[in-house]
Amino acid sequence: GTAIADYYGGISYFTDLQGKLWKLNLSKTNLGDANTGLFSLYPEFKDQATLANDRMAYNQVASTIVSGKDSLGNTVNKLFNYFGTGDPTRVQRRVSTINNRIYGVMDPDFPATTLSQTNQTVSTFTNVNTQQCDVNSSWYADVYAKTGVSANADYQKVIGRAAIHNKYVYFSAYQPE
């Protein structure tokens, strides 16, 4: 919950095994409004998941409001959803094509109650393999880039929900031996 959301109800975010992030509208501006937009489901993001790259999204999404400065120096509050990819059903799989990622997906509609089908893709994201995240854009990073493992020997999988503490996002990664 957040005071920034000026509506009744809520919005639910979840991922699927194809690496998509979904947004389910469970909100209304006023309790007396018609239920027209309730239970609408929108694709928020698609992460290019394939069996070869192992980018299936099994883990629960962690969401938070991130405050920062926009390009004009104004304070902005954005809702970000964090999740990582990896197939825990084949946790010992070691194939050279595996390249799991961690994501910080900004909801461009938040806190609006009129939701749109944003369907963001990786091409609109900032690659933060070698830099820090920014409040003004969605981002992704290869797991190997944030754990210091060589890309040639990386079979890592994110095996749990992201944890958020003191402006940092933490992910649990597993590397098969």
Side-chain angles (χ1 to χ4, degrees), residues 1-13 23-25 27 42 44 63-67 76-81 105-118 120 135:
T2 176
I4 297 170
D6 188 19
Y7 48 77
Y8 295 95
I11 298 172
S12 178
Y13 298 90
K23 178 170 43 175
L24 176 62
N25 184 16
S27 64
Y42 302 92
E44 179 83 359
S63 303
T64 191
I65 302 295
V66 178
S67 297
V76 293
N77 295 305
K78 307 283 182 144
L79 184 131
F80 273 81
N81 294 293
V105 183
M106 178 182 62
D107 183 346
D109 289 332
F110 185 80
T113 56
T114 305
L115 306 179
S116 64
Q117 185 168 323
T118 56
Q120 302 175 76
V135 70

Side-chain angles (χ1 to χ4, degrees), residues 31-104:
L31 291 176
D33 289 351
N35 293 336
T36 349
L38 274 177
F39 310 111
S40 298
L41 186 62
Y42 302 92
E44 179 83 359
F45 168 69
K46 183 177 180 194
D47 80 353
Q48 304 169 325
T50 65
L51 185 57
N53 67 22
D54 203 40
R55 287 189 204 137
M56 295 162 207
Y58 277 85
N59 302 308
Q60 185 178 3
V61 175
S63 303
T64 191
I65 302 295
V66 178
S67 297
K69 301 285 184 188
D70 65 10
S71 57
L72 302 173
N74 300 318
T75 300
V76 293
N77 295 305
K78 307 283 182 144
L79 184 131
F80 273 81
N81 294 293
Y82 303 102
F83 68 97
T85 64
D87 185 355
T89 62
R90 292 183 283 261
V91 75
Q92 289 298 336
R93 185 169 169 247
R94 293 173 53 111
V95 179
S96 62
T97 57
I98 290 176
N99 182 15
N100 283 298
R101 290 184 171 159
I102 55 176
Y103 294 97

